[in-house]
Amino acid sequence: MITQLQSPEKSQIIYPDDNGEPMSDNTEQFRLIVWIKENLELLFASVADVFVAGNLLWYPVEGNNKLAQAPDVLVAFGRPKRYRGSYQQWNEDNIPPQVVFEILSPGNRLTPMIQKFKFYERYGVEEYYLYNPEQVDLTIWQRRDQELEAVESADGWVSPRLGVRFQLSETALQIFGPNGAPFVSFVELAQLREQAELRAEQEQQRAEQERQRAEQERQRAEQAETLLEQERSRSEALEARLRFMGIDPNIL
């Protein structure tokens, strides 16, 4: 007699939060991941239903804890900002992340990258950005029907979903928000804040100096008015004295 094994209930399946792989292989890859993720979070900070995450495992199919990928950065429109150990799509109104980013490192191999591409294509990604910092090369795929098709030119490309613009120089990738402001690092953001605070303090000092100068001018005007009044009083007193002495001051 053959005993047939029963498949475990879906509710009993564990979906690990960690796939055992490092977030990055080097400081530059880590910097770029954080740079993109934090700037996108800042961009959508006031939009309640846009979720941004870095290196978060995405499980597209309930019941299969072997089928997963962890994009370096993912963006899911229509999903609330909240804590997640992993992105379990069936618990997210079956909405897949629409935008994903991958940053290449020397440790990346062709076969896993092809598998990632096929995964993103199959499970609903609309925009896939793959950046190679060593070659300053950005490849972009956009969904056309059921396939991800390569965008002809990444330089100057504006993301339909994110509204950000990508620009490539000889040395680096630049990303600009919808308002034209460039993505900056946390250090650059802190420096910009310090510069803004310094400018505000300088403006406050200049305003205080202007107030003090205006006060000094007012005091000088009051002093001049007082002196004029004193001279007027002395003149009137002298005129009255002369008249008392029988002298007409008008004929002097």
Side-chain angles (χ1 to χ4, degrees):
M1 179 177 179
I2 299 175
T3 302
Q4 185 174 3
L5 296 177
Q6 300 296 320
S7 60
E9 293 292 333
K10 289 182 179 180
S11 61
Q12 297 176 345
I13 296 176
I14 296 174
Y15 301 90
D17 295 346
D18 184 7
N19 60 4
E21 297 180 3
M23 177 176 175
S24 62
D25 293 339
N26 55 69
T27 56
E28 179 63 5
Q29 186 185 27
F30 181 83
R31 182 190 70 81
L32 288 165
I33 293 171
V34 173
W35 174 64
I36 293 172
K37 185 260 185 186
E38 291 299 315
N39 276 274
L40 288 176
E41 282 218 276
L42 182 60
L43 179 63
F44 295 105
S46 62
V47 184
D49 62 346
V50 177
F51 173 65
V52 181
N55 197 42
L56 185 71
L57 275 172
W58 165 23
Y59 293 95
V61 179
E62 185 178 11
N64 189 343
N65 62 2
K66 304 298 182 182
L67 182 64
Q69 288 291 347
D72 287 335
V73 180
L74 67 80
V75 185
F77 289 83
R79 301 310 304 145
K81 305 179 193 300
R82 61 175 176 81
Y83 170 82
R84 292 167 173 84
S86 61
Y87 192 90
Q88 299 174 17
Q89 189 171 316
W90 56 94
N91 291 325
E92 306 287 352
D93 287 345
N94 206 34
I95 296 176
Q98 294 93 346
V99 182
V100 298
F101 289 80
E102 294 286 353
I103 309 298
L104 283 176
S105 74
N108 288 120
R109 296 294 178 263
L110 180 60
T111 298
M113 295 310 299
I114 292 175
Q115 291 172 343
K116 280 191 174 185
F117 177 88
K118 290 181 177 179
F119 180 97
Y120 296 149
E121 185 176 54
R122 179 174 181 180
Y123 292 108
V125 167
E126 296 177 13
E127 300 175 26
Y128 174 26
Y129 297 86
L130 178 63
Y131 180 59
N132 184 338
E134 285 195 341
Q135 299 179 10
V136 193
D137 181 66
L138 176 65
T139 305
I140 303 172
W141 289 272
Q142 183 181 27
R143 180 166 294 277
R144 302 290 185 192
D145 297 324
Q146 300 302 314
E147 297 181 349
L148 287 173
E149 295 184 2
V151 171
E152 184 175 345
S153 176
D155 193 22
W157 167 262
V158 177
S159 163
R161 270 290 189 176
L162 305 175
V164 303
R165 177 171 58 86
F166 298 85
Q167 186 171 314
L168 293 165
S169 68
E170 293 183 358
T171 58
L173 167 68
Q174 292 178 298
I175 306 177
F176 299 87
N179 64 352
F183 278 22
V184 295
S185 68
F186 180 82
V187 172
E188 291 169 330
L189 185 62
Q191 291 172 340
L192 289 172
R193 184 182 298 113
E194 289 176 0
Q195 292 170 4
E197 291 174 352
L198 179 60
R199 285 194 295 270
E201 184 178 346
Q202 291 172 342
E203 288 298 325
Q204 185 176 0
Q205 290 175 351
R206 280 194 287 269
E208 178 62 22
Q209 291 169 355
E210 288 297 326
R211 188 194 65 79
Q212 291 176 356
R213 280 195 290 269
E215 178 63 20
Q216 290 169 355
E217 289 297 326
R218 186 189 65 80
Q219 291 175 355
R220 281 195 290 268
E222 287 182 353
Q223 291 170 356
E225 183 65 27
T226 300
L227 290 174
L228 181 61
E229 183 63 29
Q230 291 173 351
E231 287 297 324
R232 185 182 299 112
S233 297
R234 281 195 293 268
S235 177
E236 290 176 352
L238 178 60
E239 183 178 343
R241 187 172 181 178
L242 288 173
R243 291 185 186 280
F244 178 78
M245 295 171 61
I247 302 171
D248 186 355
N250 293 325
I251 62 174
L252 293 179

